[in-house]
Amino acid sequence: MKTVTTVKDMQMIVDKLHRTNKSIGFVPTMGALHEGHLTLVRDSKKRNDVTIVSVFVNPKQFGPKEDLSKYPRPIENDKKLLAKEGVDYLFNPDENEIYPHGFQTTVSIDKVAEIFEGKSRPGHFDGMATVVLKLFNIVSPDNVYFGQKDFQQCAVVKQMIKDFNLGINFFMVPTVRDFDGLALSSRNIFLSEKERIEATNIYQSLLLGKNLIVGGNHDSEDIKNKIRSYISNHKMVRLDYVEVVNPVDLSVTKTVHRPVVILVAAFVGKTRLIDNIMIK
Ligand code: AMP
């Protein structure tokens, strides 16, 4: 695996790959890699001649009160994991390389980015979309891989690809979970032992919602109330939001029509986690 740190070098490599008609699969990440990220990498490896992974902790997608300075950056371990998976190129630029002096452009997506995560984390999706568009322009991928865990992020990136005619194929990869159902996340390391045990209630609440829908309950508000009530019985978990949405446009309806996705965001101690479940 070759590590590339500058935009110029990455573009030179990509130009050469395109000239030789190699398909490029791309997996953008913020590092602190786990099996979730590696599953995206494996999907890309299966379907592309060359796989490029980026590791860049993007300051623009963190709010002023969020965990940017604490965000884990175990880059040497990340390199080992990616090399073991047979990744061809790691793109690991520093902040000045991505946002050089004088950088002034922000990508802003309307409706789909303004709700749920967009509401709870103002500016998050603008920052995410800005870096993702920039990375897409640098890496010029044929196929990109994102995790279902960040379901709304998938919807926002898909919208951007469509609106800007980027001509990139988008693949959403199912969420990888720990033994007890907790979705793997780079932020799980912030959880104390007790919080880690309690965090599994986020997934349990999603299963509760799924079982209600599969059992014939079509009343969104009732399902959300039962999830709220389940979570409020677990004092270490504080719900930010629960939504029952259409997976295509994330619209909310009073009556559940499958396929449907339940989205949950919750704090466990000071750590904010998100998860979702699709009911087909
Ligand atoms: P991050 O490094 O958290 O920005 O995530 C990079 C990519 O990995 C995003 O597309 C995430 O949705 C995806 N990802 C993170 N956690 C998981 C997981 N548990 N299962 C599948 N994909 C994941």
Side-chain angles (χ1 to χ4, degrees):
M1 182 180 77
K2 190 171 171 0
T3 299
V4 182
T5 56
T6 67
V7 172
K8 198 168 155 231
D9 286 351
M10 194 69 254
Q11 284 179 320
M12 264 164 51
I13 290 163
V14 164
D15 281 350
K16 209 165 161 188
L17 292 171
H18 282 311
R19 264 186 269 121
T20 50
N21 279 328
K22 297 269 196 274
S23 62
I24 299 177
F26 178 47
V27 182
T29 82
M30 298 208 298
L33 303 177
H34 50 65
E35 274 299 306
H37 299 110
L38 299 181
T39 306
L40 309 188
V41 169
R42 285 172 204 139
D43 267 28
S44 171
K45 291 271 307 166
K46 260 186 248 157
R47 293 206 192 92
N48 297 279
D49 297 321
V50 172
T51 289
I52 302 176
V53 176
S54 63
V55 171
F56 178 65
V57 182
N58 175 34
K60 285 195 190 293
Q61 69 189 69
F62 287 77
K65 290 190 185 136
E66 291 182 0
D67 53 358
L68 173 63
S69 61
K70 280 195 302 175
Y71 202 84
R73 291 168 171 82
I75 189 66
E76 289 313 316
N77 192 52
D78 287 350
K79 282 183 186 170
K80 274 190 211 145
L81 293 172
L82 295 174
K84 206 167 145 210
E85 294 297 328
V87 166
D88 300 280
Y89 297 97
L90 163 63
F91 183 45
N92 182 214
D94 68 16
E95 203 182 318
N96 278 333
E97 192 62 22
I98 294 295
Y99 303 120
H101 182 68
F103 186 91
Q104 341 192 344
T105 306
T106 298
V107 179
S108 180
I109 291 141
D110 293 342
K111 293 186 191 122
V112 72
E114 286 167 348
I115 48 182
F116 317 145
E117 284 303 282
K119 212 164 165 190
S120 289
R121 303 181 67 191
H124 168 67
F125 282 131
D126 285 3
M128 183 280 292
T130 301
V131 83
V132 167
L133 181 60
K134 181 140 179 153
L135 291 168
F136 284 178
N137 284 333
I138 297 164
V139 171
S140 183
D142 300 283
N143 302 308
V144 293
Y145 299 84
F146 285 74
Q148 186 187 328
K149 187 184 82 74
D150 299 277
F151 194 83
Q152 191 179 2
Q153 172 169 278
C154 289
V156 171
V157 173
K158 276 195 273 186
Q159 188 69 44
M160 181 176 74
I161 289 175
K162 185 170 163 230
D163 289 348
F164 284 168
N165 307 97
L166 298 183
I168 293 170
N169 300 310
F170 183 97
F171 293 89
M172 185 170 81
V173 180
T175 304
V176 178
R177 299 181 180 283
D178 216 336
F179 69 97
D180 59 353
L182 177 67
L184 296 185
S185 163
S186 307
R187 290 191 166 93
N188 291 352
I189 60 152
F190 296 138
L191 300 169
S192 69
E193 216 171 299
K194 201 141 181 253
E195 287 168 349
R196 169 63 193 79
I197 294 166
E198 285 296 305
T200 192
N201 286 307
I202 295 173
Y203 182 56
Q204 291 304 322
S205 78
L206 290 170
L207 286 181
L208 168 74
K210 178 181 174 170
N211 288 336
L212 288 168
I213 292 170
V214 171
N217 188 334
H218 295 134
D219 181 347
S220 279
E221 207 44 53
D222 185 54
I223 293 160
K224 288 197 286 184
N225 279 337
K226 290 195 163 106
I227 290 178
R228 286 183 189 115
S229 150
Y230 177 91
I231 290 191
S232 69
N233 283 329
H234 295 88
K235 297 290 172 231
M236 286 182 97
V237 186
R238 184 167 55 82
L239 188 68
D240 181 357
Y241 64 77
V242 52
E243 297 289 348
V244 182
V245 305
N246 174 309
V248 178
D249 58 6
L250 303 194
S251 62
V252 177
T253 49
K254 275 180 85 163
T255 311
V256 173
H257 300 286
R258 292 200 240 169
V260 77
V261 176
I262 307 175
L263 304 170
V264 163
F267 286 89
V268 185
K270 285 189 175 141
T271 307
R272 188 174 182 281
L273 300 174
I274 57 172
D275 200 353
N276 65 83
I277 199 163
M278 167 114 62
I279 301 110
K280 290 199 172 139

